[in-house]
Amino acid sequence: MEIKTIHGAVPGMETYTGIPEELKLAVLEKIKPSEAEKKKLLEIQEELAAEVKAAAEKLGVSGVLVKMVGSAARGTWLSGTHDIDVFISFPEETPRKDLETLGMAIAREVAKHAEYAEDRHAEHPYLNIIFKGFDVDLVPCFRVASASRIKSAVDRTPFHNDFVKARIKGHEDEVLFLKQFMRGSGVYGSELKTQGFSGYLTELLIIHYGSFDKVIEAACSWKPGEKIDIMQHSEIENEEPLVMVDPTDPRRNVAAALSLDKFCMFIDSCREFVKNPELKFFFPAPLPPLEDREILDRLESRKSTQLAVVFKTPNVVEDVLYPQLYKMEQSTATLLKEYDFSMIKTGVWSGKNETVIMLELISGTLPNVKKHIGPPVWVRTHAEKFKEKYEGAENVFGGYIENGKYVFEIRRKYPMAKGLLENQLMHCSVGKHVCQSVSEAFEIIENAEICRLKDFDFRVFLRKWM
Amino acid sequence: MEIKTIHGAVPGMETYTGIPEELKLAVLEKIKPSEAEKKKLLEIQEELAAEVKAAAEKLGVSGVLVKMVGSAARGTWLSGTHDIDVFISFPEETPRKDLETLGMAIAREVAKHAEYAEDRHAEHPYLNIIFKGFDVDLVPCFRVASASRIKSAVDRTPFHNDFVKARIKGHEDEVLFLKQFMRGSGVYGSELKTQGFSGYLTELLIIHYGSFDKVIEAACSWKPGEKIDIMQHSEIENEEPLVMVDPTDPRRNVAAALSLDKFCMFIDSCREFVKNPELKFFFPAPLPPLEDREILDRLESRKSTQLAVVFKTPNVVEDVLYPQLYKMEQSTATLLKEYDFSMIKTGVWSGKNETVIMLELISGTLPNVKKHIGPPVWVRTHAEKFKEKYEGAENVFGGYIENGKYVFEIRRKYPMAKGLLENQLMHCSVGKHVCQSVSEAFEIIENAEICRLKDFDFRVFLRKWM
C-alpha cells in the first residue's frame, strides 16, 4: 500500500496532510474492537464487579468499592488485547496491613472462579488471574481524596482513569491509532524492558494535541526536554527526554520511564510516517529468523567479532529481569573496554530458557604486547618505582622514554576477549538473579559458534543485530 | 667491571660518592688524547692557519684573521675525533656578498692542498675539507664587537670559544667524561637527527656545576624548565626542557635543540649511573643485528603488526633529511589513526641507501564494518540529511539510534593499514626531498617481510625496536 504525499524541496519540510482516509479505515479495521468484542468485555467487567462485591460480603468486609480502570474501562483498548484492571478500593483510613490481607482475601475468593491465578507484587501484593480468557489484575488500593494524597502508587490509577474518561469521549480511535503506531515502531510500553510510552501517556498526548495527526506532526520537532503540562501546574524541575506532567499530580512525570532512545525512535518514526504514511508503520512485516548460512555470510562480510554471553534465564518477572540484564550489558562492555577491546555495540536478548548478552567488537584478539605508560621521568620517586617494577621483569618486552614518560611494553594479561570474559565475568556487577544464574553456568560463544543458538526469537533478534 | 657504591634504602636516595677513581682512569685511557695526538693536532691547526693567511695574501684580501674554534681549540675533544673548525673572520663592515665570495675563494685556495673538499651551506656557504686525515670546516664569518651584534649564527662561535677557553683550564677531563657519558647514553649531539646536547652545552654544564660528578648528581633531579644562567643576564621567557642561557647572548638558549625525550634520557642515565657507576655507561656494548629467526620469534611473541615504509634515502645532509623524516613519521601515524588504526609506536631509521619509517600497530586489519555516528535525532535538518545519505545506501550494513544519535554501520574504506598507506601515503605531509624520493617509489612491507631488509645498521635498530 503506497500513499503519496506532497513533497517539499527541503528534507523534513514536507506538508503533512494527515493520515489518509483509506489508511485510517485499513488500520481501524484491524485494531478497533467490534461491537461484539465490546459487549463481551462489558459483560465480563460487570461479572467481575459482582464477584468482588459478593466476595467482600461473604468475607464480611465493608466499605469496599469496585472500580474498573485501564484502557478496557476507557474504551481505548486495542482489539485482541484482553486485559482488565479491577481495583478493589478501601477507605483511606484502612490500615495498610488490613488492605493487603483483606484485599488479597477478596481477590482470592474471586479467583476461585478463574482458570488460573498468580500472586504478583508491585508496591503491594495483587492477584493476576485468567478469567474466561481475560487477563485480569485484581488490585487492592486506597480510596484517597486526591491524587496528591496517595498512599501507594496504584492509588493514582483511579484518578488517571477519571481524568481520561472525562476527556477522551469521541477521541478513542485517535488513541488506538497512536497506540498501534507506537507498537509498530517498537516504542509502546512503559515496562522496564521497553522503556517506551505507556497507555496513559498515549491518551494524554491525544488529549493535549487533539488528534493522532497532530501528535505525529508535533513529535517530528520534539527535542529532549519537551514539556507538556495540560493542567499548567508543574512542580517538576528535572530534565528528561519528555516531561508529561501528570494532570492529577503536579510532581509526577508520566513519561519518566521513557528512555532517550525510545523518545528518538518515536520522533524518527513520525518523520518517516509524515513523508510516507503507510500501513507498515502500524503493522510492520514480521522479521524472519536469521538462517545459519546468513549468519555465516554476515560474519564474513562484517569481519568484526561477535561474542555471546549465554546463560539460563532467571525465573523472575521482566520488570525485575531487564534492569539486571541492562546492567550486565553495561558492565561487560566496561570490562572489555578496560582491557583495551573496542566495542561496536552491545545488546540483550532474553527468551524463555536462555538469555544472551550480545557484544560486537572491532576485534576479539589483541596483540600480546601492551603499551604501559608510566609517570614522567622527572617525577622522581614515582618514576623510579615504576621503572624498578618493570625493567627486566618477567613478561616485559622492553621499555623506552616517550614524551617524557617511561613506557614499558608488557605482556597483555588477556589478549582474547573470550578468555577475559570467561575469567572475569563473575566480577562484573550484575543484579542478584542474573548473578545467581550466571554463577551456576554461563558460556561465551564466538562468531560462527552462534549458529548453535537455535531459538526462533533469538534468530529474529539477530536479523536486526547484524 | 663492577664498582660498588653505598646504597641507601629508598630508591633514588643512594649516596653518590662520585665516579670511582679506577673507573675514571679506565675511561680517560680511552678518551683523552695522547701527547702525540695533541701535538699532531696543534701542528695541523698551525699549518691550516698559515694556509689561510697565505691564501688571503695571494688573493689580495686584507683584514682577514684566522681563528681556531671548537673543541680542538679548547682541549676538550675526545681522542680519535679529528674535527677542526677554522674560522676565517672578516671585518664587521664587510658586505655580506664579499664575505661569501672572498671567504669561499680563500677556503678553496686552502682546499687545493686537501684530499677532499665539499661545499656546504648553513646560513652562509662554507667549505668542508679532509686535510691530512682531519675533518676541517673552513667557515667565513664576521668579526663583530660582541655576540649581541652578530650578523650570522656562525659569528657567535668565536665568542663561545673565548668564554669557554677562559674558564675550562684544568677541567678539560671533566668535559671529556661528560661528553663520553652522553655519547654512551645516546644523547650527545645537537644536530637535528639527535636533538641532544651540543659540545658547547656540555662545556657550560661543567663550568656551571664544576665537575662531571656534580652535573650527574644535579641532573638526577632536573625537571623540564630547568634554567641555568651563568651570567645572570637571561632575557629568555619560553619554557623548554632545559634552558642554558648563552653567557655571550642573553636571548639565546644553548639547549634549544634538546628534545624532551633526550633531556629525560639523560636524567635517566644519570640516575642509573649514580646507582651503579660502571664503564658500560661510557662504552655500551654494541648491539648485534637482529637475525631473521629472531625477527620471526619476536613477531610471534608480540603478535602486533609491524609495518615498514621503505624508500630510497634522499641525497641531502642529515640536518635537512631528519626533520623531514620525523615529519613523515608523524603524518603517517596521524593518517593511520584517522582511519581508526591504533598505534603502539613509530620510529625512523635511515641508512646510506634505504630509509625506513617503522610503525607498530595493535592490528594491521580492522573489520569491514565501521560505526559511523551521526547527529542527534532532534537536530532535525542535520539528522535528516545524515539519515537520507546513509539509509539503504550501498556499502551500508544497517542503522540504529544510540544515545539519541543516528548510527550507521558502514563499510570501511581501508580495512588494511597496508592498503591505506599504499593509497594515501602520497597525501601525507612530508618534506620536499622525502616527498621526491617517495613519489619515485616506496614500498610498504609487513611483519615477516621485514626480513628482506638486510642492512646491518637497520638490524641493529630493529633489536632496540622489537
Side-chain angles (χ1 to χ4, degrees):
Chain A
M1 184 174 186
E2 285 251 341
I3 293 137
K4 294 247 159 72
T5 48
I6 301 151
H7 281 266
V10 184
M13 301 300 282
E14 292 83 0
T15 312
Y16 176 56
T17 54
I19 174 171
E21 207 53 43
E22 62 269 43
L23 177 57
K24 253 187 182 169
L25 294 172
V27 174
L28 273 187
E29 196 188 344
K30 288 167 177 267
I31 63 172
K32 190 167 180 168
S34 65
E35 285 311 313
E37 200 178 342
K38 283 183 193 170
K39 191 162 162 270
K40 174 77 181 162
L41 185 91
L42 215 64
E43 279 169 22
I44 299 288
Q45 283 187 336
E46 278 166 11
E47 220 172 302
L48 283 164
E51 290 270 3
V52 171
K53 277 177 206 152
E57 220 160 281
K58 184 179 168 191
L59 295 169
V61 184
S62 63
V64 166
L65 292 180
V66 191
K67 187 152 186 152
M68 297 295 152
V69 297
S71 59
R74 318 204 270 260
T76 58
W77 84 98
L78 292 166
S79 171
T81 56
H82 290 83
D83 302 325
I84 297 177
D85 295 328
V86 182
F87 274 50
I88 306 164
S89 87
F90 287 76
E92 192 171 352
E93 62 279 9
T94 312
R96 184 168 286 252
K97 210 173 153 287
D98 289 359
L99 173 105
E100 291 187 7
T101 347
L102 300 173
M104 287 305 278
I106 292 169
R108 276 188 230 288
E109 192 61 34
V110 175
K112 284 182 179 164
H113 307 118
E115 294 101 89
Y116 173 82
E118 183 183 299
D119 273 40
R120 291 201 183 156
H121 209 105
E123 208 174 316
H124 288 300
Y126 67 96
L127 204 69
N128 173 258
I129 63 172
I130 306 297
F131 184 85
K132 300 194 174 175
F134 282 75
D135 189 313
V136 181
D137 283 338
L138 296 167
V139 185
C141 75
F142 291 105
R143 194 157 66 240
V144 293
S146 85
S148 60
R149 295 181 55 185
I150 58 155
K151 300 169 89 171
S152 158
V154 296
D155 302 343
R156 217 183 258 117
T157 310
F159 292 95
H160 295 168
N161 207 57
D162 294 345
F163 183 87
V164 172
K165 266 191 107 163
R167 287 159 180 86
I168 208 68
K169 195 82 195 147
H171 297 91
E172 290 93 342
D173 289 357
E174 303 296 314
V175 174
L176 296 185
F177 284 134
L178 188 54
K179 282 186 177 178
Q180 189 60 38
F181 180 82
M182 286 174 166
R183 191 179 266 182
S185 307
V187 300
Y188 187 63
S190 62
E191 66 284 4
L192 294 174
K193 173 185 178 180
T194 309
Q195 298 176 39
F197 293 77
S198 67
Y200 179 47
L201 176 54
T202 314
E203 292 164 330
L204 292 179
L205 286 171
I206 293 297
I207 290 168
H208 176 67
Y209 286 108
S211 71
F212 168 78
D213 282 335
K214 284 181 179 158
V215 172
I216 299 294
E217 219 177 338
C220 287
S221 304
W222 276 355
K223 288 175 175 51
E226 186 71 34
K227 190 170 184 172
I228 300 169
D229 186 5
I230 295 170
M231 303 304 282
Q232 299 290 319
H233 67 172
S234 168
E235 292 173 18
I236 300 171
E237 286 300 324
N238 55 321
E239 284 274 314
E240 278 165 308
L242 176 63
V243 176
M244 169 65 84
V245 185
D246 192 337
T248 75
D249 184 347
R251 290 159 307 177
R252 186 175 169 265
N253 177 15
V254 178
L258 180 67
S259 74
L260 178 64
D261 283 353
K262 289 293 156 78
F263 173 76
C264 288
M265 279 167 69
F266 179 63
I267 296 173
D268 177 64
S269 288
C270 290
R271 289 186 193 152
E272 291 299 330
F273 183 75
V274 159
K275 278 193 265 181
N276 220 358
E278 291 178 11
L279 192 64
K280 68 174 184 192
F281 286 92
F282 297 91
F283 302 101
L287 289 177
L290 206 62
E291 307 287 341
D292 284 3
R293 109 145 289 115
E294 290 175 298
I295 292 177
L296 299 176
D297 285 351
R298 293 190 184 192
L299 286 172
E300 180 54 29
S301 167
R302 298 170 77 89
K303 288 209 189 287
S304 52
T305 296
Q306 302 283 357
L307 284 180
V309 185
V310 188
F311 52 94
K312 203 167 154 287
T313 301
N315 185 24
V316 284
V317 296
E318 290 195 334
D319 267 3
V320 173
L321 177 61
Y322 274 87
Q324 295 185 22
L325 295 182
Y326 294 143
K327 195 176 178 184
M328 180 175 184
E329 180 189 10
Q330 287 308 310
S331 59
T332 46
T334 303
L335 175 71
L336 286 163
K337 278 183 229 156
E338 239 169 60
Y339 283 85
D340 300 340
F341 293 95
S342 302
M343 302 301 302
I344 295 177
K345 62 180 186 283
T346 61
V348 165
W349 175 84
S350 185
K352 214 181 151 193
N353 300 315
E354 282 182 326
T355 293
V356 184
I357 306 288
M358 284 298 298
L359 304 154
E360 186 176 14
L361 282 69
I362 288 291
S363 170
T365 315
L366 290 173
N368 289 330
V369 63
K370 176 188 163 80
K371 186 172 179 176
H372 187 46
I373 300 171
V377 171
W378 58 88
V379 182
R380 187 167 182 181
T381 314
H382 282 101
E384 289 192 323
K385 272 189 191 152
F386 181 81
K387 190 181 174 189
E388 210 164 281
K389 178 173 174 191
Y390 290 103
E391 195 167 60
E394 213 188 336
N395 288 329
V396 170
F397 292 96
Y400 49 94
I401 292 169
E402 189 179 64
N403 302 323
K405 290 174 179 167
Y406 282 121
V407 172
F408 281 94
E409 296 181 334
I410 61 175
R411 186 169 290 272
R412 193 181 296 279
K413 194 169 177 192
Y414 294 110
M416 317 282 272
K418 191 179 174 204
L420 169 62
L421 286 176
E422 283 168 348
N423 268 275
Q424 296 288 313
L425 186 66
M426 284 315 300
H427 301 123
C428 279
S429 104
V430 299
K432 182 182 153 194
H433 304 93
V434 166
C435 178
Q436 228 155 20
S437 173
V438 167
S439 59
E440 278 164 29
F442 72 91
E443 213 185 349
I444 311 295
I445 64 182
E446 199 169 359
N447 295 331
E449 293 176 299
I450 288 167
C451 293
R452 274 171 40 204
L453 303 175
K454 301 293 186 195
D455 186 287
F456 184 94
D457 284 339
F458 175 70
R459 291 302 186 92
V460 171
F461 164 85
L462 267 195
R463 184 171 295 279
K464 280 176 285 182
W465 175 261
M466 66 191 272
Chain B
M1 183 174 181
E2 286 250 340
I3 293 136
K4 293 247 160 70
T5 46
I6 301 152
H7 280 266
V10 184
M13 301 300 281
E14 293 83 0
T15 311
Y16 177 57
T17 53
I19 175 169
E21 207 52 43
E22 61 269 45
L23 177 57
K24 254 186 178 169
L25 294 172
V27 174
L28 273 186
E29 197 189 343
K30 288 166 177 265
I31 62 172
K32 190 167 179 169
S34 65
E35 285 310 312
E37 198 178 340
K38 284 184 193 168
K39 191 163 164 268
K40 174 80 182 163
L41 186 91
L42 215 65
E43 279 170 23
I44 299 288
Q45 283 187 338
E46 277 167 12
E47 220 171 304
L48 282 164
E51 290 271 1
V52 171
K53 276 178 206 150
E57 219 159 285
K58 183 179 169 191
L59 294 169
V61 185
S62 62
V64 167
L65 292 180
V66 191
K67 186 154 188 153
M68 296 296 151
V69 296
S71 59
R74 319 204 269 261
T76 58
W77 85 98
L78 292 167
S79 171
T81 56
H82 291 83
D83 302 325
I84 296 177
D85 296 327
V86 183
F87 274 51
I88 305 164
S89 88
F90 288 77
E92 190 170 352
E93 61 280 7
T94 312
R96 184 168 288 251
K97 209 173 153 286
D98 289 359
L99 173 106
E100 292 186 6
T101 348
L102 301 173
M104 286 306 278
I106 293 168
R108 277 187 229 289
E109 193 62 33
V110 175
K112 283 182 181 163
H113 307 119
E115 294 101 270
Y116 172 82
E118 183 183 300
D119 273 41
R120 291 203 183 154
H121 208 105
E123 208 175 314
H124 288 299
Y126 67 96
L127 203 68
N128 173 260
I129 63 172
I130 305 297
F131 184 85
K132 301 193 172 175
F134 282 75
D135 188 312
V136 181
D137 284 337
L138 297 166
V139 185
C141 73
F142 291 105
R143 194 158 65 240
V144 294
S146 85
S148 60
R149 294 182 54 184
I150 59 156
K151 300 169 89 171
S152 160
V154 295
D155 302 344
R156 218 183 257 117
T157 311
F159 292 95
H160 294 168
N161 208 58
D162 294 346
F163 184 86
V164 172
K165 267 192 107 163
R167 288 160 180 84
I168 210 68
K169 195 84 193 145
H171 297 92
E172 290 93 341
D173 288 357
E174 303 296 315
V175 174
L176 296 185
F177 284 136
L178 189 53
K179 281 186 176 178
Q180 188 61 38
F181 180 82
M182 286 175 165
R183 189 179 266 183
S185 308
V187 301
Y188 187 62
S190 62
E191 66 283 4
L192 295 174
K193 173 184 177 180
T194 309
Q195 298 175 38
F197 293 77
S198 67
Y200 179 46
L201 176 54
T202 313
E203 293 164 329
L204 293 179
L205 285 171
I206 293 296
I207 290 168
H208 176 68
Y209 287 107
S211 71
F212 168 78
D213 282 335
K214 285 182 180 160
V215 172
I216 299 293
E217 220 177 337
C220 287
S221 304
W222 277 355
K223 288 175 176 51
E226 186 70 35
K227 191 168 182 172
I228 299 169
D229 186 6
I230 296 170
M231 303 305 282
Q232 298 291 320
H233 67 171
S234 169
E235 293 173 18
I236 300 171
E237 287 299 322
N238 54 322
E239 284 275 313
E240 277 165 309
L242 176 64
V243 177
M244 169 66 84
V245 185
D246 192 336
T248 75
D249 185 347
R251 292 159 305 176
R252 186 174 170 266
N253 177 15
V254 178
L258 180 65
S259 73
L260 177 65
D261 283 352
K262 289 293 157 77
F263 174 75
C264 287
M265 278 168 69
F266 179 63
I267 296 172
D268 177 64
S269 288
C270 290
R271 290 186 192 152
E272 291 298 331
F273 183 74
V274 160
K275 278 193 267 182
N276 219 359
E278 292 179 8
L279 192 62
K280 68 174 186 194
F281 286 92
F282 297 92
F283 302 102
L287 289 177
L290 205 61
E291 305 288 340
D292 285 2
R293 108 147 291 116
E294 289 175 298
I295 293 178
L296 298 177
D297 285 351
R298 293 192 184 191
L299 286 172
E300 180 55 27
S301 167
R302 297 171 76 88
K303 287 211 190 284
S304 53
T305 295
Q306 302 282 357
L307 284 179
V309 184
V310 188
F311 53 94
K312 202 166 155 287
T313 301
N315 185 23
V316 285
V317 296
E318 290 195 334
D319 268 2
V320 172
L321 177 61
Y322 274 88
Q324 295 184 22
L325 296 182
Y326 294 144
K327 194 177 180 185
M328 180 175 186
E329 181 189 10
Q330 287 308 312
S331 59
T332 46
T334 302
L335 175 71
L336 286 164
K337 279 182 228 155
E338 239 169 59
Y339 283 85
D340 299 339
F341 293 96
S342 302
M343 303 301 302
I344 295 177
K345 62 181 185 283
T346 62
V348 165
W349 174 85
S350 185
K352 214 182 153 192
N353 300 313
E354 281 182 324
T355 293
V356 183
I357 307 287
M358 284 299 297
L359 304 155
E360 186 176 15
L361 282 69
I362 288 291
S363 170
T365 314
L366 290 173
N368 289 329
V369 64
K370 179 189 161 81
K371 186 172 179 175
H372 188 44
I373 299 171
V377 171
W378 58 87
V379 182
R380 187 167 181 178
T381 313
H382 282 101
E384 289 192 324
K385 271 190 190 152
F386 181 81
K387 191 182 172 187
E388 210 165 280
K389 179 172 174 190
Y390 290 103
E391 195 168 57
E394 212 187 339
N395 288 330
V396 170
F397 292 95
Y400 50 94
I401 292 169
E402 189 180 66
N403 301 323
K405 291 173 178 169
Y406 282 122
V407 173
F408 280 94
E409 295 180 336
I410 62 176
R411 186 169 290 273
R412 192 181 297 279
K413 194 169 177 193
Y414 294 110
M416 317 281 273
K418 192 182 172 195
L420 169 63
L421 286 176
E422 282 168 349
N423 267 275
Q424 296 287 313
L425 186 66
M426 283 316 298
H427 301 124
C428 280
S429 104
V430 299
K432 182 181 153 195
H433 304 92
V434 166
C435 179
Q436 227 154 22
S437 172
V438 167
S439 59
E440 276 164 30
F442 73 90
E443 211 184 351
I444 311 294
I445 64 181
E446 199 170 1
N447 295 331
E449 293 176 299
I450 289 167
C451 292
R452 275 171 38 205
L453 303 175
K454 302 292 186 196
D455 187 286
F456 184 95
D457 284 339
F458 176 71
R459 292 302 186 93
V460 171
F461 164 86
L462 268 195
R463 183 171 296 278
K464 279 175 288 182
W465 175 261
M466 65 191 274

